[in-house]
Every structure is written in structure tokens, then in C-alpha cells.
Amino acid sequence: MSTLHRTPLYTLWQQRGARFVPFAGYEMPVQFEMGIKREHEHTRRQCGLFDVSHMGQMLIHGSRPAQALERVSPIDAAGIQPGRQRYGLFTSNTGGIHDDFMAVNAGDHLYLVVNAACRAADAALLRSGLGDGGVLEVVEDRALLALQGPSARQVMGRLCPAATALTFMQHARFDVMGHELWVSCSGYTGEDGFELSIPAAGATDIAEWLLAQEEVSPIGLGARDSLRLEAGLCLYGHDMDKETTPVEASLGWAVGKARRQGGEREGGFPGADVILTQQGNQDTERVRVGLKADGRAPVREGASLYNLDGDPIGEVTSGTFGPSVGAPVAMGYVRREFREAGQTLQAEVRGRRLDMTVTPMPFVTTHYHRG
């Protein structure tokens, strides 16, 4: 059995009473003394601090980094303005999704954040696929924290007042407590928030300062999952994978307009023939949808979905009880004819069929700060 990695904040979380679990090759806190439900509610009500240092941080240098990234992704990287970031996908030659990521235009280079479980594969993909215009640097000496919740902007105003000028999907760099912080505003919780890339040597100092603020509590992987699900956001390896195309995953919007059929840089990425054909015809057999149930019993990943005649029509890929919704929420894939909101389907849970309603996502109102 391979040894699990630890983030630079492992000792701090140990001191804070974290319960750890293996996750993507790391020993990560799944919850703290507050418990998953209360951590979720605290983030929605005030502010949560998440350790996401296991995520991969990468830089693309070179003469044409944006064009180099477009060789391996349908993202419109050339259209990202300085100080802005954009969601992207790495696609395969058959149209599947290798991973999803965030890309920042940091001026003379791109800054990428990729999923922890995919970081080695993503690095290999980029090294082989960027071409002459891009040179990959894998960042090994920085931690990553996420400050999320309605009080995040108030707390950030004390730590780094200039960062509060950032709006949703912006990025900037600041000197804070003698450390260069790379600050982004995206937020996988549906709340306003900041992601802070910090030199590993300063991560504990910054985290301790943040935790000393009365609004802030440490939050583990358990609440992170229920928060992102309520926000309608996919988790790689669950709601999308190498067998799923962006169109099936309802992520066709992540294909930049310039890269679509008729765009100024149409295609030119792996799987373009499959993905653009599906996007033009909307002819996929299945599609990702949101699902909401009555009662209290959560419907978990892997539950089979049926129409009211008892015919199998799909499967749940993520599911839990949504504390903010007050009901079980899930997402999964169904045959295209069952995608319309308001339809009643049934999920099989421990031998019983439970009614679920196809529901638009996100399940909660998002509060991203747009200025």
C-alpha cells in the first residue's frame, strides 16, 4: 500500500480535531468536531476554510501559452483577459473528459488548478500536448486554501483589503504577511469566496490568522461535497469521466464560442469531431440532470433510475441529503427524453423505489460576487 501524502496544514488540522480519510492519494480531513451537517450550514451562514492543497497547481510558460493550451482543451484560452480565469476541460480523442480545471491569465503565463487525482496524468498530457508554444511547470511548493461563505469578503477585507475589489472569476496577486498570495474568486460552494494559493512555508500562518476570525471555521471534505452538489457542480470521476462527453455532462458551455462550429478557431482540440457534432445536433442518448426527492432518505451514487413504467433509464452519479435544501438532492444521467424539469422518476434505494423530480440546477441560489 502506497504512503499517503499530507498537505502543509496536516498538523494544524490534527490540532483542530480533524477526522482524516484517504482521498486522491492524500490524508485529508473529512470533518471536524462540528460535524458535516453543521459545517455545511456554517459555510452557508458565515464562512468556512477548506484545505484544497491536494489539488494540482501548474503554470504554462512559453511564447504562446494560451494557444498551446488550446491544443489539448476546447477552452477559449486566447480569449481570457489578464487577471481573469475560466473553467476548462481536457478532452480525449473520443470526446471523453480527462479532467476539468481552472485557467488564469496571469500575464506572461497561465496558472492552472487541476483535480488532485488527475494531477500526474494532466501533467503528462500537457507535457506531451502543448507543443512548442508552451512549457509546463508543476508547482510543488504552494498550499491552496478556500475561504467560502457570505462573510468571506468581510474576513478578506481584514487580511488583504485590496483583494476585496476582485469579483467572480477574477485573479490577482498580493503581498500578505510577507508571503505572495495568488488570490482567485470562483467558489465551488455557490457562495462568494476566495481561493488562496500560498507558499507552503506560510500556509499555517495564514490559516491560523483566518481561523482566529470569529466567522471562520475549518471545513472538511464531507461538507465540501454536499455544498458543491447543492451548487450543481460536477465532481470528476463521478459526474464526468473519460466515457462522458461535455455535451452529455451538460457542460457544452465550457467549449469556447471561438472553438465551436463556425467559430474563428473552430475545433483543433482532441475529440472535436465528436463533441462539435453532438453540440450541433443535440443527439446524445443521455444527459446529466438534477434530481430532488421528498422525504429524508438520501439517494446515493450508483442508484438506478427508472421511469414510472419501471423501465431503467439511468443512474445517479452523486447524491446526498442537502442541508440547505432540506431534502435529498442528486445528479445523474438519464435518457434524453426524460431530461425536462418537473418529470417524476424513481430511484431504487435498498430495494425500494423512491420518487424523484427532475430539477434545474443549482439547487440553491448562488451568491457569487459580480460587482
Side-chain angles (χ1 to χ4, degrees):
M1 182 177 176
S2 59
T3 303
L4 292 172
H5 300 289
R6 292 175 174 176
T7 77
L9 295 157
Y10 177 85
T11 300
L12 176 61
W13 303 139
Q14 215 176 21
Q15 294 167 351
R16 291 277 175 159
R19 181 161 72 83
F20 293 92
V21 295
F23 183 81
Y26 280 77
E27 203 169 353
M28 296 294 292
V30 66
Q31 68 178 77
F32 292 85
E33 294 175 359
M34 191 184 292
I36 292 172
K37 181 175 181 291
R38 289 175 59 206
E39 289 174 25
H40 176 116
E41 293 168 340
H42 183 86
T43 303
R44 289 270 184 253
R45 187 175 62 252
Q46 294 192 57
C47 191
L49 185 66
F50 301 74
D51 184 3
V52 287
S53 304
H54 58 310
M55 304 286 279
Q57 300 184 67
M58 302 177 183
L59 307 178
I60 302 177
H61 304 279
S63 58
R64 304 178 73 206
Q67 290 78 3
L69 180 59
E70 289 188 1
R71 290 167 55 95
V72 294
S73 171
I75 192 173
D76 177 8
I80 307 175
Q81 297 299 308
R84 302 288 301 183
Q85 64 178 334
R86 188 166 288 174
Y87 177 80
L89 303 167
F90 293 126
T91 51
S92 72
N93 290 331
T94 57
I97 301 172
H98 279 304
D99 195 12
D100 62 342
F101 62 90
M102 283 289 186
V104 170
N105 182 343
D108 62 349
H109 65 276
L110 298 179
Y111 165 50
L112 271 60
V113 178
V114 306
N115 280 300
C118 303
R119 56 193 296 175
D122 290 347
L125 182 152
L126 288 164
R127 286 193 178 102
S128 65
L130 288 176
D132 295 337
V135 178
L136 181 68
E137 176 189 350
V138 177
V139 178
E140 303 284 7
D141 59 352
R142 298 185 74 87
L144 194 61
L145 289 171
L147 186 69
Q148 305 280 301
S151 300
R153 198 157 291 268
Q154 181 179 345
V155 172
M156 183 58 72
R158 297 178 212 136
L159 177 67
C160 179
T164 61
L166 296 175
T167 59
F168 184 57
M169 298 301 273
Q170 285 190 323
H171 174 94
R173 299 182 176 183
F174 306 95
D175 184 76
V176 177
M177 296 170 58
H179 306 291
E180 186 184 53
L181 264 61
W182 305 349
V183 183
S184 299
C185 284
S186 53
Y188 50 81
T189 58
E191 302 296 336
D192 187 27
F194 300 86
E195 296 79 47
L196 314 176
S197 175
I198 310 164
T204 298
D205 290 344
I206 299 292
E208 286 182 331
W209 188 95
L210 289 168
L211 290 168
Q213 311 308 300
E214 64 176 350
E215 303 96 329
V216 182
S217 292
I219 310 295
L221 289 174
R224 188 178 82 138
D225 192 53
S226 57
L227 288 159
R228 70 90 193 166
L229 180 52
E230 286 188 340
L233 301 178
C234 291
L235 179 63
Y236 187 79
H238 298 259
D239 311 300
M240 54 180 167
D241 54 29
K242 295 176 183 177
E243 308 304 317
T244 307
T245 70
V247 180
E248 290 174 326
S250 301
L251 295 173
W253 54 267
V255 178
K257 289 182 180 179
R259 317 298 304 283
R260 299 177 194 173
Q261 289 181 348
E264 60 189 51
R265 297 189 308 286
E266 178 181 332
F269 55 87
D273 54 339
V274 175
I275 294 166
L276 297 184
T277 297
Q278 287 185 349
Q279 201 165 38
N281 298 338
Q282 292 295 307
D283 62 352
T284 58
E285 293 183 4
R286 61 181 193 138
V287 67
R288 179 174 64 94
V289 297
L291 298 161
K292 182 179 174 183
D294 296 328
R296 307 285 291 183
V299 180
R300 304 292 188 187
E301 175 182 356
S304 296
L305 295 169
Y306 300 86
N307 64 15
L308 295 182
D309 293 327
D311 303 318
I313 59 165
E315 184 176 86
V316 170
T317 53
S318 285
T320 191
F321 186 85
S324 305
V325 178
V329 292
M331 63 173 75
Y333 286 82
V334 298
R335 296 208 311 258
R336 177 167 284 276
E337 61 265 34
F338 295 98
R339 72 186 186 281
E340 297 300 332
Q343 290 200 62
T344 300
L345 310 178
Q346 291 188 320
E348 186 164 325
V349 179
R350 293 188 292 276
R352 297 170 54 218
R353 300 280 173 92
L354 304 181
D355 285 351
M356 301 198 81
T357 303
V358 178
T359 306
M361 294 184 284
F363 298 101
V364 296
T365 301
T366 56
H367 299 102
Y368 305 124
H369 179 70
R370 300 178 187 272

